[in-house]
Amino acid sequence: MVSKAHIIKCMVDDPHPPLHEYHQSGDLIIGAIASHTFIISSAISFIENPPSPLPEELAAVPKNYQHILALAFAVKEINENPQLLHNVTLGFHIYDSYFNDKWTYHATTLLIYTLGVFVPNYNCDVQTNLIGVIGGLDPPTSLQVATLVDIYKIPQVIYGPAPVMNDKTPGIPFYQILPREDSQFAGILSLLLHFRWTWIGLLTMDNDNGERFVQNVVPPFSQSGICFAFIERSQTFTVVNDINDMFNKGGKIHDKIIDSKAHVVVVYGESYVLVFLRWFPYLSGQEHITKKSKGIVWIIPAQGEFTSMVYQRTWDTEILHGSLSFTIHSKHLPGFQEFVRSRNPSSTTGDGFIKDFWQQAFGCVFPNTDAVQVDGDVCNGEEKLESLPASFFEMSMTSHSHSIYNAVYVMAHALHAMSTSSLEHSAMQNRGMQNCQGQYHWQLHRFVKGVSFNNSVGEKVSFDQNGELAAGFDIMNWIFPTNQSFHRVKVGRLDPQAPPDKVFKINEDAIRWHRGFNQAQPLSVCSESCYPGSCKKVKEGKAFCCYDCIPCPEGKISDQKDASDCHKCTDEKYPNERQDRCIPKDVSFLSYEEPLGLCLASLALSSSMITTLVLATFIKHHNTPIVKANNRDLTYTLLISLLLCFLCAFLFIGEPHMVMCLFRQSAFGIIFSLAVACVLAKTITVVLAFMATKPGSKMRKWVGKSLAICIVLSCSLLQVLICTVWLATSSPFPDVDMHSFTSEIVLECNEGSVIMFYCVLGYMGFLALVSFTVAFLARKLPGSFNEAKFITFSMFVFCSVWLSFIPSYLSTKGKYMVAVEIFSILTSSAGLLGCIFSPKCYIIVLKPELNNKEQLIRRKPQRM
């Protein structure tokens, strides 16, 4: 074991002292890695010891100086608060990362070890009292800091996005004072979908963090219907030798953005990404000098901030007007602006940043005692920070500064919890809190994880299970009323902890768009929207957002914009003429209210009345020779059956129901068969009566009522049998036809068995054909028996009507099919009534003198 007397003092000088540092002493020290200045130098050859950067190689990002002030302001508040860290003062050590790997590692090492004892992994009997590190701003910086502080389990609170950890194990000791990025990406998606921006561009940096962004957003965005006009990766800034390559690539990116139809571009990168973005209009100026300025909506995540380098002081800001950015939800901190106004290069001690910041921000030079003459304006230290343009410096706290402010309070509250913990109380008493950091870094982690407090403006600060800030985002609209003047307007809110319907809110009316849009809401689509009545057809070889609009096929509709396909209406509805909505179908059946039904009902009623009148006439004159000569009973039966034929037409009119459907065709078939059977019986009676008049004829025994009754009953009963079989096996029933007519639902009677229906018609036709044949053969009998001629003509009409009925019935649908059948019933019945009974009625009513026996038996002279 090595004794204390043999401990070696490892005094090694730092070859490159830090260019900028800000130290404030205290019992406990918070380390911080700021990102304030770029070193624009040539590449290191490693042939000789590289020199320290020259002042002219330093290019500050003036706005980032506020990050340093936010940390100093938070420490000042904590030290003035006796309730938080009693009898313990906080100090801080701030170093610049210079946006550079080498200087970031250098600065982190300086935080862990003291100048003058710069030997990594050796303690050398020196304590720095470092209890935690805040930083960095950008993911690469945070990763480089974490690589070192992880070794010593020093808590690290970062105020930018989490870095890509590659193959490092989970549990790296940093805490993200920034809400989860996934929720921010979901908010960007909600914003795009809200404004229906489906054709967008992505602009990222060409590094691991940019690639992770692309991998995280492209799949969910594509699944939600977002297409990408381009995905461009801008080079990161390294050394001056690469500037030309960077500018050439930037010019190509600019050309692609200008030539694209996309008016929305999501920009993701490091905090200084907008410094590069503002270069774009100047990179291809000759090519686009005649082109009209294109309006673009830049969507900028919380990491992006409106910043400028010193050489961009007078550059045009029009390109960024109307941008939408996500920022961490924050409130105005009282006292911060007064603290900022009090900063002065001559009165601020320990601040190694303020001098270079002041010179570059105000474009002046502090006099050097070694210089004889000063080029440019001389800084007097009395310049006002509020006079600086917003791209250089803002008096109100920015979102990054607010995160740093909260990060300092996280450390303070964790220390406070640790100091009051019953588990650590005895250790604090024995060792003193200011000397505990070496042994208790790892123990401080659990207090940082569990920290939860309200800051000075009442905002709750706590971490979730992933070590990320449990908070939401504000959506800000960047407005540039004039060049270099700038302000943000809150136009929306993203709150992942809110109910699902309140997670995303946006106030469209508060947004000021780029002037190229003339204050109209921008469109960013590959193809114009397909209006209802049409659907999208993706163009071959193009993204699914690029399509043609084609009309919906007949019978289909689309009732929303950009429909992927047309669809059919339900059976109860049909497409309108524009095929953009479904209209309820009208219920259709042959009713008494419509003209066609009313006309047919009137015809049926009037025909029934006429038949009744004829029947009454025959009954009244039943003893007259003409009535007696034509078999009165058979005549009455025929007239009654014709009356029923006319009346059965009413079974076909009106809304179909079970009883109507069940009996209407059967009633029609039986009644018509009875009528035709009567006609057949009259025809046969006429023929037999003529034959019976011949001397010695054996037909006299067949002449009489018995034969007629037998014919009528047998023919009718056979039809009754057919109808009984029909009703017993497959009876008709009410049905709904939704497909025969586009705009109508037809209420109808389904005939059940179509074969049985045609059997009924066929049998009735067979009787009519037999009757027609017999009557036709008897048409030349002597005049005394001239009724056969009338029967022949009546059956000709009857057969003609029902032969034409079949094709007409089959070619019509719905209520018109019913109307055809009713018309056939009425016409054929009227034909029988008119042809058979009108001559007799004429004689009975108008020529009663002919109604005597002598006139009936008088024979016409035979022609030679």
Side-chain angles (χ1 to χ4, degrees), residues 296-298 300 319-325 476-478 512:
I296 297 175
V297 179
W298 304 96
I300 304 163
I319 185 176
L320 296 174
H321 180 68
S323 298
L324 297 173
S325 71
M476 312 299 289
N477 185 208
W478 290 5
R512 296 271 301 276

Side-chain angles (χ1 to χ4, degrees), residues 131-133 153-158 173-177 406-418 440-453 461-464 467-468:
I131 51 92
V133 176
K153 306 304 179 187
I154 300 173
Q156 177 188 358
V157 181
I158 64 175
F174 62 70
Y175 305 90
Q176 190 176 346
I177 200 77
N406 284 335
V408 177
Y409 268 92
V410 166
M411 288 292 187
H413 278 274
L415 284 170
H416 180 76
M418 184 175 176
Y440 291 95
H441 283 144
W442 62 274
Q443 293 184 0
L444 186 59
H445 278 285
R446 67 187 181 94
F447 294 99
V448 175
K449 288 179 181 177
V451 76
S452 180
F453 63 92
V461 179
S462 63
F463 295 109
D464 60 17
E468 296 167 313

Side-chain angles (χ1 to χ4, degrees), residues 554-555 569-577 581-589 736-747 815-816:
E554 186 177 354
C569 297
T570 59
D571 289 341
E572 295 80 13
K573 297 180 179 181
Y574 71 100
N576 64 346
E577 187 176 350
R581 65 187 182 95
C582 292
I583 301 174
K585 292 182 178 180
D586 295 328
V587 176
S588 174
F589 58 89
V736 178
D737 181 7
M738 295 188 176
H739 306 292
S740 295
F741 293 94
T742 302
S743 59
E744 293 180 353
I745 297 176
V746 179
L747 301 183
K815 61 184 178 182
Y816 301 104

